[in-house]
Amino acid sequence: MEKFPAAGLLWTKRHVPHFKRVMAAQAYEETVSVSLETAEPLDASAPEAYPYPLLRPSDQTERRTLRLWTLDNGLLKVSLAPDLGGRIFRIEDRRTGRALFGAQTLSLLPGPPRGAIMPHGLRLLLGTEERRNTLGPVEVQARDTEEGAEIWIAEFAGPISFHARFALPEGRAALEIEMRAFNRTLDPLPYQGGLRLTLPPGRVVDVSEGFGYESETGEIGWTLLGESDAFETFEMDRGELIARRFAQPTALWPRQTDVWRARLVPFSGLEGLTALSEHAAIGLREGGMHAQVSTPVRGKWVLRTPSAQTLEAPAELSADTVHEITFEGLPDPPAAIALLDARGETLLRWPAPAFSSPPRAPESPYPALSKDADERTLARAAAQAPLRAQAHLLLAMRRLAASRYAEADELLETSLLYQADDPLAWWLKAIARRLMGEDEEERPELLNAHYLAPLEPALRAESFLSQKERYGKEPSPLLAPLAEDPEAFREIAALLIEAGLIDQAIQWLDEALRHRDDPMLRYLLAFLYLAHTRMRAESAEQIAAAERLTLRPPYPWRAVEREALRALAEAFPTHAALRDAHSKTGYTES
């Protein structure tokens, strides 16, 4: 191989006036003023939108102050909006001062499932369409780590909940995304997963792995890469990139967690983009090229001339600027270019081989296991590999309901041997051990649950329920963060009822009503009085109190809520508001 002459490549760093030196990654909260198109809620809900009402774009905008949680490492600044479904709202390339996206006017378009969508930024998907809560609030938490800074968001208003992690490592211009979708129910649910990213007008660019895109001005480029073939398909639809976890909806099985990871790597300031990868981008021009890397590179360039001559030159590239490289001694532009690191691994290649989607995951042959199955059926299913975790979990719940806590603990231990990523099974195991008399410090199960689902509201509930001393009639300050979120109180009550922990559920509902007077919480308490005690009069009092309140979205959607409203409507047929609430629960969540 002929060495490329040392004078053949002349290196100069392009002056970038907006450049800010690389700094330690940090996370912080800020606000931005935007013009936001409002939506009109329609009077009635509909099956496709349930448990939320349908919306209609109003064609009217209002000036709003929007909360943003921001990650910044001096190379990229990434802001997400927790009150708009946790979407990535804005990304700025600090190396060039360019805003990669982040509109000041947020408009709506008609679209499923709720009748109005906001096609802005990056949104996470669970099914084939926008999440029902993509215009609503999510839980959010920021953390500093040894590698950089990260922001977690979580959503629990549906049978499939999720935790998502967004991180900026120090010294790398790449956004890391981790998604943990979790089936909270005891039934298989349709699931597809992935993300949507609204892009400026442009074109798709071939990359060896993942998805490449260039704006029509050539000033901005993107690479989206799913780790371990996280996405089966990439497609463009009306200016939006849709990366799908599975090409067709598949089943997310009871208490199953699906985890996928991806990296979004932006480039800018190249004045025309010729090739890109997750590591680097280049833009060829007459007599040279521009280059930008996502992380520092020390390696070499390899060029092939039109006459098939191979030339080499050292490459030492920092991640904090756009590099200008001039070709001297080359009569013609190169026919191919590669960037290699010090180990000889290829970081970028032009022309790039076209990306081929991974083979589609096979459909699961697992049969569904009913939570109402009898003991003999569950015992037989416990010996079948695909059903072992769920069967042992259902058996454990029956032991909890019978106050046989040691047996429940043993069954939960076995369930977790087969499905260790179920945070709610770890939570139930911690409850079983508490009811067996163990102290909280002796229950590592809570640490495991917190690792898997750091924003899971059931963990805060267990901290309250495990207290040996309560605060009398005053609301517990431990639960103050949940006071604005009746869905969290409802979810925990439903989980406790589902597990047969009726006394725990009544304690929880009594406390929840000290924080938030919510009609569904009262209906659940009325149901427990009716079905598990002889306190029919107290049940009627709770129903009367619930009917003085307005039932707001998300409307009842859980199996426990549907059963509670059905039983109450049959027992108290003269209550119109109760009948109306029950009539809506026939709608299902897809």
Side-chain angles (χ1 to χ4, degrees), residues 77-107:
K77 181 180 177 182
V78 179
S79 300
L80 66 86
D83 297 320
L84 290 177
R87 73 185 63 212
I88 297 295
F89 171 78
R90 181 173 64 196
I91 296 182
E92 177 186 342
D93 192 336
R94 305 279 260 167
R95 301 166 294 182
T96 60
R98 286 172 171 80
L100 306 180
F101 63 75
Q104 292 299 309
T105 299
L106 303 179
S107 57

Side-chain angles (χ1 to χ4, degrees), residues 119-201:
H120 295 284
L122 183 151
R123 292 96 70 204
L124 298 169
L125 299 176
L126 296 174
T128 59
E129 302 165 341
E130 298 274 348
R131 302 186 340 263
R132 285 163 173 75
N133 191 42
T134 194
L135 296 175
V138 297
E139 300 295 319
V140 60
Q141 182 182 94
R143 296 179 177 181
D144 294 323
T145 67
E146 293 182 359
E147 295 79 19
E150 62 187 29
I151 293 175
W152 286 82
I153 64 171
E155 180 178 281
F156 304 99
I160 299 179
S161 65
F162 72 83
H163 279 72
R165 169 184 169 269
F166 300 96
L168 282 184
E170 291 186 12
R172 185 172 188 183
L175 175 65
E176 296 180 351
I177 305 170
E178 177 181 330
M179 177 69 158
R180 303 177 185 177
F182 177 56
N183 180 355
R184 305 179 70 83
T185 76
L186 299 174
D187 299 302
L189 296 172
Y191 169 75
Q192 193 165 19
L195 58 81
R196 298 178 77 108
L197 173 62
T198 303
L199 294 167

Side-chain angles (χ1 to χ4, degrees), residues 315-337:
E316 189 161 353
L317 308 173
S318 61
D320 55 26
T321 191
V322 176
H323 298 263
E324 285 189 1
I325 303 167
T326 58
F327 303 143
E328 289 191 355
L330 290 181
D332 298 303
I337 300 173

Side-chain angles (χ1 to χ4, degrees), residues 438-446 459 462-463 466-467:
E438 289 196 4
D439 293 330
E440 184 171 358
E441 55 268 19
E442 298 175 356
R443 293 185 292 152
E445 296 83 7
L446 290 175
L459 303 182
E462 178 56 14
S463 296
S466 63
Q467 286 182 327

Side-chain angles (χ1 to χ4, degrees), residues 38-105:
T38 58
E40 301 171 349
L42 302 182
D43 292 338
S45 187
E48 65 270 21
Y50 197 82
Y52 296 94
L54 281 171
L55 300 173
R56 179 171 56 204
S58 67
D59 295 326
Q60 310 219 345
T61 60
E62 294 181 1
R63 203 71 187 169
R64 297 276 184 91
T65 298
L66 190 64
R67 281 193 311 149
L68 298 179
W69 283 65
T70 295
L71 294 165
D72 192 345
N73 67 353
L75 300 173
L76 294 181
K77 181 180 177 182
V78 179
S79 300
L80 66 86
D83 297 320
L84 290 177
R87 73 185 63 212
I88 297 295
F89 171 78
R90 181 173 64 196
I91 296 182
E92 177 186 342
D93 192 336
R94 305 279 260 167
R95 301 166 294 182
T96 60
R98 286 172 171 80
L100 306 180
F101 63 75
Q104 292 299 309
T105 299

